[in-house]
Amino acid sequence: MIDLMGIINLNEAEEHLGELSRSRSLASIPFAGRYRLIDFVLSNMVNSEISNVGIFIQHKYRSLVDHLRSGKDWDLARKRDGLFVLPPAYTRTPMQVHRGDVDNLYSNLDYLYQSRQKYVIIAGANIVSNMDYRGILEYHKNTQADITVLYTKANCGTHDCVRSNILGLGPEGRVLTISEFKDTGGYQNMSIDMFIMKKDLLIELVNQCIARGDYDFVKHCIIKNVKRLKVYGYHHPGYVARISSLQSYFQHSMELLNPHIWKELFFKSGLIYTKVKDEAPAKYMHETEVTNSLIASGCYVEGKVENSILFRGVKVHKGAYIKNSVIMQKGNIGPGVILENVICDKDVHITSNKQLKGEYSYPLVIKKGRVI
């Protein structure tokens, strides 16, 4: 057990994920056949021996709360510490407007004061990776940094860098600048919006922002203090997927079909945990053809599946052909249906002999519960 608590700050922009985030928060978007996006950062914290995790939620959190339940699936249902789901509190005046995540942190300062850990790691739910935070905490202590920012070397010809922050680094990894991404090509030091600092410093920064009328944690607590505080960058060399748009979601879903990426993401520094559902194994019929795909438990496959991801309980009937697609939970793909470059949200029913095709760079998305 290390002297580090975790905060999962759900403040990511969701509008660029279209239908996938219309009825749910970004953190609860299904990913990789049986997981939600929040499972990755939450599992990383548990695997790093963090026993106190606070999730600061904003809105559309019904499905997220249903997924997390008591935290038992991540071994966080405890008498001391454990999992804390902290909604925003609007109690000062009836007309008060929630401006940003600093308001949310400020509304829940009691949680920070009462936590017994000295250090805190703050992360979002849109980063899909497998990492051990214990080594990062040691780096933070050894450099005697006020704040340590995690970053990765990102190919900025991909969708990952859009709307991200880029670090300008000086000698020995000190952060000199944090600026918005500009498409200059090549690889850049992309911040993955994870920060380690002392809990007391976090409380101080939040109080200062509220006193000044500032509201954005990254912009006003971190970037505004780069020159005043000792800020260092920590390079994570492993696989990092930043889910910030529909295109990046689809791109990184397809990358999971690469065995090297799949093994690193799910086994490198520990297992990835999720809500347990007891279902029978996938069932394959004699006519079934499955190539380079992830098929979750509870699926019934009678047609052809190629380079695709099927979530739990998906049915693919005889004569159907699914290629380069993501079919979420309890999808029903009728006989003779052809799908290519398509994302079907949960409970979608495609009736017989339909043909739907999107572009690999811009997949077609079928809304949750839709019958076509």
Side-chain angles (χ1 to χ4, degrees), residues 100-120:
D101 51 345
V102 170
D103 270 352
N104 202 4
L105 290 166
Y106 183 75
S107 297
N108 292 285
L109 278 184
D110 283 351
Y111 164 68
L112 294 175
Y113 282 121
Q114 293 171 13
S115 297
R116 57 196 175 96
Q117 290 78 14
K118 182 178 179 180
Y119 296 92
V120 57

Side-chain angles (χ1 to χ4, degrees), residues 64-83:
L64 179 62
V65 172
D66 176 69
H67 178 70
L68 295 171
R69 297 185 292 186
S70 67
K72 179 181 177 181
D73 297 308
W74 297 267
D75 192 29
L76 287 173
R78 302 174 177 228
K79 292 182 178 179
R80 189 175 187 185
D81 292 336
L83 182 69

Side-chain angles (χ1 to χ4, degrees), residues 215-321:
Y215 57 89
D216 187 284
F217 177 74
V218 173
K219 184 184 295 184
H220 298 126
C221 290
I222 305 297
I223 297 177
K224 201 169 184 178
N225 289 291
V226 163
K227 298 187 184 302
R228 182 176 72 86
L229 298 175
K230 193 176 180 182
V231 182
Y232 274 79
Y234 179 92
H235 176 234
H236 175 64
Y239 176 78
V240 173
R242 182 173 176 269
I243 309 299
S244 58
S245 65
L246 190 60
Q247 291 81 3
S248 64
Y249 174 87
F250 186 70
Q251 169 197 328
H252 292 304
S253 293
M254 293 297 101
E255 286 177 353
L256 296 175
L257 302 177
N258 181 330
H260 299 291
I261 291 177
W262 183 82
K263 288 179 182 178
E264 178 182 342
L265 184 58
F266 289 98
F267 298 102
K268 180 182 178 183
S269 298
L271 301 178
I272 304 299
Y273 306 101
T274 190
K275 181 181 179 180
V276 174
K277 293 184 178 180
D278 298 322
E279 291 180 296
K283 186 175 183 179
Y284 303 91
M285 306 308 289
H286 293 295
E287 300 84 358
T288 300
E289 294 181 47
V290 176
T291 306
N292 192 39
S293 298
L294 292 179
I295 311 293
S297 58
C299 288
Y300 173 90
V301 184
E302 197 174 3
K304 184 177 180 180
V305 182
E306 180 181 348
N307 298 329
S308 296
I309 298 174
L310 306 188
F311 282 67
R312 293 167 166 145
V314 171
K315 293 183 179 180
V316 182
H317 293 275
K318 188 174 182 178
Y321 178 35

Side-chain angles (χ1 to χ4, degrees), residues 130-361:
N130 192 328
M131 61 179 74
D132 191 330
Y133 300 135
R134 289 171 289 195
I136 306 168
L137 179 61
E138 286 304 310
Y139 173 86
H140 177 79
K141 293 177 179 178
N142 291 338
T143 56
Q144 297 182 338
D146 294 315
I147 301 172
T148 296
V149 185
L150 277 69
Y151 72 94
T152 185
K153 292 281 187 181
N155 179 1
C156 288
T158 67
H159 297 286
D160 282 19
C161 288
V162 178
R163 294 177 294 275
S164 66
N165 290 312
I166 303 299
L167 306 186
L169 300 176
E172 301 179 352
R174 181 138 186 194
V175 177
L176 302 179
T177 60
I178 304 177
S179 56
E180 292 184 0
F181 165 71
K182 294 181 181 178
D183 191 2
T184 56
Y187 283 81
Q188 299 189 42
N189 301 321
M190 183 186 76
S191 168
I192 54 179
D193 292 335
M194 294 186 185
F195 311 94
I196 287 184
M197 65 186 76
K198 288 183 177 178
K199 183 184 68 175
D200 291 344
L201 176 59
L202 173 61
I203 294 171
E204 177 187 332
L205 292 174
V206 169
N207 282 322
Q208 287 177 358
C209 283
I210 292 297
R212 293 194 299 260
D214 293 334
Y215 57 89
D216 187 284
F217 177 74
V218 173
K219 184 184 295 184
H220 298 126
C221 290
I222 305 297
I223 297 177
K224 201 169 184 178
N225 289 291
V226 163
K227 298 187 184 302
R228 182 176 72 86
L229 298 175
K230 193 176 180 182
V231 182
Y232 274 79
Y234 179 92
H235 176 234
H236 175 64
Y239 176 78
V240 173
R242 182 173 176 269
I243 309 299
S244 58
S245 65
L246 190 60
Q247 291 81 3
S248 64
Y249 174 87
F250 186 70
Q251 169 197 328
H252 292 304
S253 293
M254 293 297 101
E255 286 177 353
L256 296 175
L257 302 177
N258 181 330
H260 299 291
I261 291 177
W262 183 82
K263 288 179 182 178
E264 178 182 342
L265 184 58
F266 289 98
F267 298 102
K268 180 182 178 183
S269 298
L271 301 178
I272 304 299
Y273 306 101
T274 190
K275 181 181 179 180
V276 174
K277 293 184 178 180
D278 298 322
E279 291 180 296
K283 186 175 183 179
Y284 303 91
M285 306 308 289
H286 293 295
E287 300 84 358
T288 300
E289 294 181 47
V290 176
T291 306
N292 192 39
S293 298
L294 292 179
I295 311 293
S297 58
C299 288
Y300 173 90
V301 184
E302 197 174 3
K304 184 177 180 180
V305 182
E306 180 181 348
N307 298 329
S308 296
I309 298 174
L310 306 188
F311 282 67
R312 293 167 166 145
V314 171
K315 293 183 179 180
V316 182
H317 293 275
K318 188 174 182 178
Y321 178 35
I322 300 173
K323 181 180 179 182
N324 299 337
S325 296
V326 177
I327 313 299
M328 293 186 189
Q329 190 171 338
K330 296 183 180 179
N332 193 334
I333 311 303
V337 170
I338 298 176
L339 301 179
E340 185 174 357
N341 301 324
V342 173
I343 299 174
C344 290
D345 209 330
K346 295 174 64 176
D347 299 310
V348 167
H349 183 190
I350 311 295
T351 56
S352 303
N353 301 314
K354 300 296 188 297
Q355 296 187 23
L356 302 174
K357 183 177 180 180
E359 297 296 328
Y360 194 85
S361 58

